[in-house]
Amino acid sequence: MVLTLFDKTGARVLGALETTGDFAVLAGRTFAAIFKRPFDGKSLMSQLHSLGVNSIPVVVLTSIAVSMVFAVQLAFGFRQFQAEGLASQVEGLAIVRELGPVITGLMLSGRIGSAMAAELGTMQVTEQIDALECLATDPIHYLFVPRFLAAIVMVPLLTVVSIYVSFWGGYMILVGVEGQSAYVYSSEFYKLLAFRDLRIALIKALVFGMIIALVGCWKGYRTHGGAEGVGNAPTSSVVTSSLWILVSDFFLTKLLLV
């Protein structure tokens, strides 16, 4: 029984190492393929539109909803201490440093990460990727690179949109509902912020974009098992990238705030 337990534990450790190594190799090939020629600019523009422009409604709606809920919680909490004026300061700090990049990253992992996994998974099980390799086309360069570049460009831009919209979400609650002065809200919102905070948010968004694209493409590229595999790939992509976003957010926060 003890030997069986060791066998199972060893098999799981080896499986985890094999999976990690496979992802690292594909990620390294993606970084290297960025500099290969010829570059498919048309595919990049298509991905920029698909990943960026089409994601604006989702990012706007979720950002404004979360910022309004956060403003309600802050107003209620600070009212207990008769310190309502601090609500807008904390709202600004939380939105720029955390809520903007994390909400954008999580929503895009669900929307574009799953779409990448489903699209590449379908190509894998229908042997379209094998056909590319038969035509001497590197699937990493042809499929991964446009999606990767589009993600690292559009996720930071969408994070800026999220921060801007979240400002107005807090405005509607703290000024429109709680009766705070519009001038006080606008000035207090930025009181605790510095340029470094925006830089931290954009660095986080850049890393989140890398995670979303690499995990989505990796899950799709390694899809097997026919229609069932294609159905599982997006779910696995969303769970994995969301987990990595939250874990990396912790380490980035600790690293960048030092």
Side-chain angles (χ1 to χ4, degrees):
M1 183 175 179
V2 175
L3 289 177
T4 304
L5 180 61
F6 277 121
D7 287 343
K8 289 182 177 178
T9 305
R12 290 183 178 179
V13 170
L14 289 175
L17 290 174
E18 183 180 3
T19 302
T20 305
D22 182 53
F23 175 79
V25 168
L26 285 178
R29 289 178 60 188
T30 304
F31 281 107
I34 291 174
F35 305 101
K36 288 176 63 177
R37 295 292 181 272
F39 185 77
D40 191 352
K42 185 177 179 182
S43 177
L44 176 60
M45 294 304 295
S46 173
Q47 292 298 326
L48 287 172
H49 183 272
S50 174
L51 272 63
V53 177
N54 293 344
S55 299
I56 290 176
V58 174
V59 171
V60 168
L61 289 175
T62 53
S63 298
I64 202 166
V66 172
S67 64
M68 290 173 71
V69 170
F70 196 67
V72 170
Q73 295 281 10
L74 288 175
F76 177 80
F78 282 113
R79 193 181 302 125
Q80 313 300 313
F81 308 99
Q82 297 181 340
E84 293 89 340
L86 295 177
S88 52
Q89 296 181 22
V90 178
E91 175 92 356
L93 197 63
I95 285 173
V96 175
R97 280 190 180 174
E98 290 298 327
L99 294 180
V102 172
I103 290 171
T104 305
L106 292 177
M107 292 310 300
L108 294 184
S109 73
R111 185 184 178 277
I112 63 177
S114 60
M116 290 179 188
E119 187 177 5
L120 268 64
T122 303
M123 294 180 70
Q124 184 65 273
V125 300
T126 56
E127 300 181 348
Q128 295 180 56
I129 293 180
D130 293 338
L132 287 174
E133 293 174 341
C134 289
L135 294 171
T137 300
D138 181 6
I140 303 298
H141 181 250
Y142 184 71
L143 298 173
F144 280 42
V145 170
R147 290 167 174 79
F148 179 75
L149 291 178
I152 63 176
V153 170
M154 296 312 299
V155 175
L157 290 178
L158 289 171
T159 297
V160 174
V161 173
S162 171
I163 292 171
Y164 177 75
V165 170
S166 297
F167 170 86
W168 291 106
Y171 183 96
M172 284 190 280
I173 295 300
L174 295 178
V175 177
V177 178
E178 299 295 330
Q180 192 175 100
S181 163
Y183 173 78
V184 170
Y185 174 81
S186 300
S187 58
E188 294 292 304
F189 185 89
Y190 299 103
K191 190 170 184 178
L192 299 180
L193 295 173
F195 178 74
R196 184 186 71 161
D197 298 308
L198 179 60
R199 187 183 63 201
I200 290 173
L202 295 179
I203 291 174
K204 285 183 177 181
L206 178 68
V207 175
F208 296 164
M210 292 181 184
I211 291 173
I212 292 167
L214 290 175
V215 171
C217 291
W218 172 55
K219 289 293 183 181
Y221 190 67
R222 293 305 185 202
T223 297
H224 56 82
E228 183 179 355
V230 175
N232 292 333
T235 304
S236 179
S237 171
V238 173
V239 172
T240 304
S241 58
S242 298
L243 181 63
W244 287 12
I245 283 172
L246 295 175
V247 172
S248 64
D249 180 50
F250 168 76
F251 288 106
L252 286 170
T253 302
K254 290 286 289 182
L255 180 66
L256 296 172
L257 283 180
V258 173

